[in-house]
């Protein structure tokens, strides 16, 4: 794995004040004399106070683990009283979590984690520079005991179930940390801060908290707003005293991942109304501005993440993510993630394919292939027509990649559900799509999707393309932001105060309106003028 | 060992505001409902804030170890949402260190420790009631590697020396905790706070901090003002998350024990000048009032603690502590600590004996037995005269207890040194003994000494007896106070700011003036009018 540095500012368009959760302070202390025999630790703390711009730092506010105190005198005298103090902030005090010899100019490292049901996304961050040094997505090892949340909650009630679930999550995280650290030539022990965002169940499982009551009336989490932990308390393989910020959730259903996503979008600070849709294993929709925020569950996500297709796969290496068809011959040209031979097609690729097939009039609004076409790539197997994106016999890849009418049907149900949810939530709040300042598309899926194609198939509303902003993994980015600007935890609290959540799935209207949205793009052409103008 | 409850107010005459370092809060929470599905921990914290009178408690200020969070949901549901929260305060925040089922009305326990070079004094305290439940003095197990501080500091520089020293101190402390807990029918795990006072070297050794630089120019401690620790960090056998307050020291020489002693005396709050002399393995003198405090090293203590006599022993069970002589026959009547057969004589007993011998004119001002006396208890062995307090042949005890002229000479050198130190420090500060509002006598020795006898031999100045106040183990009492009124840490800081220290032992005048103080009570009779009036 190669390290690929990225400035956090390239990802998010919100402003933040640099306020690192952990700082390294280089100090050259006066050596003690008979006239000034101040204790080593007291001397270090006095200097820390002197060089720190904020006045909040007073001796009473500075703590240090005994383990650090036990090393200070030796470290100071090894290096002629020059050292680098590693100081973490908490809500209430500062903590001297490490001392390093001399002037340590290495990056001050933090780790951000999006703990997803299906995948764990880890980001190694240079906290001071606000730079992502490298990132990594791995499967959540808990999936061996259940793909979905309910199965896992059930598993936790068996013998050692909770311990097993926590251990699996931590094994995955710690394996990821090892790989990220290796790729950047650093040690896990050099990671001085961790921030973590996940849905309520995943947050419970990583912390070893029993999620039993999350899925039973009255749906109560053990904790919504966890205090700051230390890495060693949880078992995360970072510096043992690294502070661990866990994003607080909104309810038993909407977790810290949603909060972190809102934070990354900045929609909670704008006077205009924006919408954020986050498509993961579950999908969430957030609508609002600096005055109010409404959160609701969107359509089920898996169909969009991997397209719900037989040849579908997640947006990882070897997945076809972009595709164009020649309008006449239907010959495809595509891009594969990691420039490898194609092994499948991810959600965004599938959306583009269906959009291209529709614009080429190869499929009708119901997603059925036209009868009159005589294109070799359109094949029939077991009485079902499909389109061969990749044909192994033609040397285009190691195996055929075929998307058939059943796959397209799955996608249309997913996109229909999403569009219906988007339409319902905006209508219920009296907001027209055209009123939206920004439409954020987030989730691992959202990182790759082409909004134009998503409009074409009727998944996203037909608004000007420049209003769409692809956020990528907004929960992961929000978690990165917390490391570089710990003052943002106040914004997090204001997001929690502002947010209300509504339930759409109990709504009869949903099913009634879904039918119209199952067509490409929709039965009501007026909703998608651009698409019909293009086709 | 029996538990002997004592109100802290019986020990100290200072006022304090009850402000326990740890409190137990009983709460009966509303069970969650669909309308109020607040998380269990969030619910508990909200209630804690509601019932706590101070406004400082806000959610951001309340931390909890993950281990406690992992148990809360189960505990709540076991007891219909009734529980007792154990909350510790720190300088900067509150910490929920335990939750107990239902309404736990047991004492909220703390442990105070005076870590002495020779002995460890432990106090089991009911923090809420301000009551000492039981106390215990045991030998500091470190003495097997050296009686004095310098030997121990040297030992620490050998392989695993520091680890060994820390382990020995902790073994002693933890053995003491076990015995104290047993005597009160509680578990060490129920001890929710610890406070500790010791001289700088002992403080270093208990914390596993290398004292190497304490005894080498420029005499620098690792830390003078330690942060608050947790019991598990140090290895003290209390509740693992119990806060551990370690009294800060004044310099490389004057430690937290002196600070705790001043705190217990209250002299730092009085407008009148008082003097505190603390006789332990080392002796310290403190002079001052609410405006200024001067600390200096008094005479070496061991000679006073055990009297420096062949039959001397510390003031523990079987030691003669009080003694009176028939002025004609010199027949003794005495009290033995613990009402056991006498095995030796402690410092206070020796002082009384010498005073009685002097007042009976059995010895002269040089401590020599008068030639003319024909008393069977005055015996000569190896050409040295001595007085037999206990004669085994007469069935007065298991063995002879004889105090001879060499023993008396040792005592006179010790008392002379102490008096000279007291005289020099008061003179240097321009304070007459007669100006002293209170003369505090502290130390394990000070708990038993009779000020009248100490005046008679010229150890303490000849001021009205009612001005003396026997403080006992002032460091231990100060440590107890910190548990029941944690706000006193601000007084501790003010004591540290006010205190200056002066050195008397480099003073040539000391040796010049010591000679006059080696006599009983002194060569200058005008200094001890009461004594000569009595004799």
């Amino acid at each position: 794995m190669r390290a690929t540095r990225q400035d956090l500012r390239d990802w998010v368009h919100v402003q933040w004040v640099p306020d690192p959760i952990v700082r390294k302070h280089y100090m050259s202390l006066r050596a003690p004399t008979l006239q000034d025999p101040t204790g080593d630790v007291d001397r270090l703390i006095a200097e820390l106070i002197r060089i720190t711009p904020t006045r909040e730092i007073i001796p009473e506010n500075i703590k240090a683990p005994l383990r650090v105190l036990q090393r200070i005198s030796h470290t100071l005298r090894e290096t002629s009283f020059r050292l680098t103090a590693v100081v973490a902030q908490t809500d209430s005090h500062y903590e001297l979590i490490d001392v390093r010899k001399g002037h340590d100019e290495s990056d001050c490292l933090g780790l951000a984690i999006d703990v997803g049901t299906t995948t764990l996304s880890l980001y190694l961050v240079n906290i001071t520079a606000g730079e992502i040094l490298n990132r990594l997505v791995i499967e959540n090892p808990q999936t061996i005991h259940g793909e979905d949340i309910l199965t896992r909650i059930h598993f936790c009630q068996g013998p050692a179930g909770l311990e097993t679930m926590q251990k699996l999550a931590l094994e995955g995280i710690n394996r990821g940390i090892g790989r990220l650290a290796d790729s950047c030539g650093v040690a896990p022990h050099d990671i001085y801060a961790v921030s973590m965002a996940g849905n309520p169940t995943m947050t419970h499982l990583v912390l070893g908290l029993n999620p039993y009551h999350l899925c039973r009336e009255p749906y109560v989490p053990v904790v919504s707003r966890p205090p700051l932990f230390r890495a060693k308390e949880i078992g995360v393989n970072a510096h043992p005293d690294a502070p661990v910020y866990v994003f607080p959730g909104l309810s038993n259903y909407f977790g810290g991942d949603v909060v972190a996503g809102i934070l990354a979008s900045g929609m909670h600070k704008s006077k205009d109304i924006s919408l954020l849709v986050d498509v993961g294993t579950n999908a969430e929709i957030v609508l609002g501005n600096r005055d109010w925020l409404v959160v609701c569950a969107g359509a089920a996500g898996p169909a969009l993440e991997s397209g719900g297709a037989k040849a579908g796969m997640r947006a990882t290496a070897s997945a076809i993510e972009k595709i164009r068809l020649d309008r006449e011959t239907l010959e495809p040209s595509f891009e594969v993630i990691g420039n490898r031979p194609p092994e499948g097609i991810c959600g965004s690729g599938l959306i583009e394919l269906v959009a291209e097939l529709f614009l080429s009039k190869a499929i009708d609004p119901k997603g059925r292939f036209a009868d009159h076409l005589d294109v070799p790539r359109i094949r029939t197997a077991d009485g079902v027509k499909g389109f061969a994106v990749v044909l192994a016999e033609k040397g285009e890849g190691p195996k055929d990649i075929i998307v058939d009418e059943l796959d397209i049907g799955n996608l249309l149900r997913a996109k229909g559900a999403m569009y219906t949810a988007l339409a319902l939530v905006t209508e219920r709040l009296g907001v027209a799509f055209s009123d939206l300042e920004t439409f954020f598309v987030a989730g691992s899926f959202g990182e790759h999707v082409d909004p134009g194609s998503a409009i074409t198939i009727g998944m996203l509303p037909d608004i000007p393309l420049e209003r769409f902003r692809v956020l990528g993994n907004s929960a992961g980015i929000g978690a990165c932001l917390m490391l570089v600007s710990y003052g943002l935890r106040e914004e997090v609290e204001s997001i929690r105060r502002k947010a209300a959540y509504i339930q759409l799935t109990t709504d009869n209207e949903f099913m009634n309106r879904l039918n119209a949205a199952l067509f490409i793009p929709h039965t009501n052409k007026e909703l998608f003028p651009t698409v019909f103008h293009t086709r």
Side-chain angles (χ1 to χ4, degrees), chain A:
Chain A
M1 192 171 68
R2 280 178 317 169
T4 49
R5 292 187 170 237
Q6 283 179 295
D7 195 313
L8 252 180
R9 285 178 182 77
D10 297 345
W11 279 100
V12 288
H13 305 272
V14 292
Q15 297 292 317
W16 71 82
V17 181
D19 179 18
I21 184 167
V22 173
R23 278 177 208 259
K24 287 183 175 176
H25 297 277
Y26 168 66
M27 320 183 171
S28 174
L29 302 176
R30 266 177 224 270
T33 60
L34 275 175
Q35 286 69 46
D36 173 23
T38 307
D40 291 337
V41 174
D42 313 272
R43 180 176 302 270
L44 192 163
I45 285 177
E47 176 68 3
L48 190 60
I49 292 168
R50 198 186 67 78
I51 64 175
T52 303
T54 162
R55 287 188 185 180
E56 287 163 38
I57 298 197
I58 53 171
E60 290 74 16
N61 260 356
I62 302 177
K63 305 253 180 303
L66 183 54
R67 217 174 26 71
V68 173
L69 263 52
Q70 287 168 340
R71 279 172 35 223
I72 283 181
S73 293
H74 183 71
T75 305
L76 276 175
R77 282 166 185 81
E78 253 187 330
T79 57
S80 313
F81 289 86
R82 286 183 185 85
L83 56 67
T84 304
V86 183
V87 180
Q89 41 170 330
T90 75
D91 290 326
S92 53
H93 64 276
Y94 294 84
E95 195 145 330
L96 178 66
I97 58 174
D98 203 1
V99 286
R100 300 178 72 126
K101 282 194 267 185
H103 193 169
D104 182 312
E105 297 183 276
S106 62
D107 293 342
C108 191
L109 301 177
L111 183 85
I113 315 173
D114 167 33
V115 189
T117 308
T118 313
T119 56
L120 306 170
S121 302
L122 290 85
Y123 301 77
L124 188 63
V125 178
N126 175 339
I127 297 178
T128 325
E131 195 179 45
I132 297 174
L133 297 179
N134 205 359
R135 61 191 184 121
L136 177 68
V137 179
I138 56 177
E139 189 181 41
N140 185 337
Q142 294 174 335
T143 48
I144 62 167
H145 292 303
E147 295 272 333
D148 65 294
I149 281 176
L150 285 179
T151 312
R152 293 192 210 166
I153 294 179
H154 181 72
F155 181 86
C156 286
Q157 309 321 316
L162 178 59
E163 291 82 343
T164 304
M165 276 295 172
Q166 188 191 19
K167 215 175 132 204
L168 284 169
L170 289 172
E171 274 172 14
I173 288 172
N174 290 340
R175 199 173 346 113
I177 291 175
R179 286 177 57 192
L180 276 178
D182 278 353
S183 76
C184 297
V186 299
H189 194 272
D190 295 331
I191 296 171
Y192 282 122
V194 177
S195 77
M196 221 184 249
N199 64 51
T201 304
M202 288 305 113
T203 301
H204 276 61
L205 295 184
V206 168
L207 296 178
L209 303 173
N210 197 331
Y212 181 84
H213 295 284
L214 273 179
C215 64
R216 279 167 187 80
E217 270 200 28
Y219 311 109
V220 179
V222 173
V223 63
S224 277
R225 186 187 182 284
L228 201 65
F229 300 110
R230 292 160 192 252
K232 66 182 170 195
E233 276 186 279
I234 302 175
V236 173
N237 185 23
H239 188 280
D241 290 301
V244 181
Y245 177 86
V246 180
F247 274 81
L250 296 174
S251 69
N252 71 311
Y253 191 85
F254 298 108
D257 50 353
V258 176
V259 176
I262 296 171
L263 184 74
S265 76
M267 63 188 290
H268 60 292
K269 297 198 293 186
S270 173
K271 73 175 199 314
D272 295 314
I273 297 168
S274 296
L275 188 147
L276 165 67
V277 58
D278 188 339
V279 185
T281 306
N282 302 299
E284 288 99 16
I285 299 170
V286 187
L287 183 68
N289 59 14
R290 66 186 178 194
D291 300 317
W292 56 272
L293 291 167
V294 163
V295 186
C296 68
L304 294 177
E305 259 198 320
S306 63
K310 288 177 284 297
M313 63 184 286
R314 280 204 303 275
T316 53
S318 309
I320 295 174
E321 60 161 347
K322 290 189 184 306
I323 186 163
R324 286 290 176 269
L325 301 182
D326 183 285
R327 293 286 148 86
E328 301 303 318
T329 65
L330 297 187
E331 271 308 295
S333 56
F334 51 76
E335 289 176 24
V336 180
I337 299 178
N339 288 320
R340 302 220 202 146
E343 302 216 342
I345 186 162
C346 69
S348 62
L350 191 66
I351 289 167
E352 290 197 13
L353 174 63
V354 174
E356 289 287 293
L357 288 170
F358 180 71
L359 292 178
S360 310
K361 300 194 169 60
I363 56 174
D364 66 11
K366 282 183 161 173
R368 302 256 172 73
F369 283 95
D371 286 333
H372 63 274
L373 283 173
D374 182 22
V375 176
R377 288 192 181 265
I378 297 180
R379 302 183 162 204
T380 304
D382 297 333
V384 180
K385 281 189 180 168
F387 182 83
V389 183
V390 170
L391 285 167
E393 66 199 34
K394 295 180 76 175
E396 296 169 355
K399 61 181 181 190
D400 288 357
I401 297 178
I402 295 173
V403 173
D404 65 20
E405 288 178 345
L406 299 176
D407 296 328
I408 295 172
N410 282 338
L411 178 67
L412 295 188
R413 272 186 291 282
K415 79 91 187 171
M418 174 172 288
Y419 182 82
T420 306
L422 292 171
L424 281 175
V425 70
T426 46
E427 275 174 38
R428 192 178 291 185
L429 277 302
V431 176
F433 286 132
S434 57
D435 294 339
L436 297 176
E437 183 197 28
T438 310
F439 193 112
F440 296 99
V441 184
S444 60
F445 156 84
E447 194 175 318
H448 300 270
V449 75
D450 167 45
S453 300
I455 293 173
T456 300
I457 69 164
M459 182 175 103
L460 297 180
D462 191 359
I463 57 174
L465 280 180
E466 63 272 19
R467 298 217 197 149
F468 287 96
R469 192 157 286 161
V470 169
L471 257 189
N473 183 337
S474 57
I477 299 297
C480 291
L481 281 176
M482 188 56 69
L483 297 172
V484 304
S485 186
Y486 191 53
L488 289 177
R489 65 195 189 282
E490 284 164 26
E491 277 189 29
V492 161
E493 293 309 313
S494 97
I495 289 170
R496 293 182 72 217
R497 275 191 300 272
K498 269 191 276 230
Y501 39 95
I502 56 176
Q503 237 173 325
L504 289 180
T505 44
T506 56
D507 206 330
N508 278 334
E509 213 185 341
F510 188 89
M511 293 313 291
N512 296 340
R513 293 180 53 162
L514 177 61
N515 288 322
L518 291 179
F519 292 83
I520 308 175
H522 197 275
T523 52
N524 182 353
K525 291 190 178 186
E526 284 174 22
L527 293 174
F528 289 88
T530 319
V531 179
F532 290 95
H533 183 76
T534 313
R535 200 180 186 232

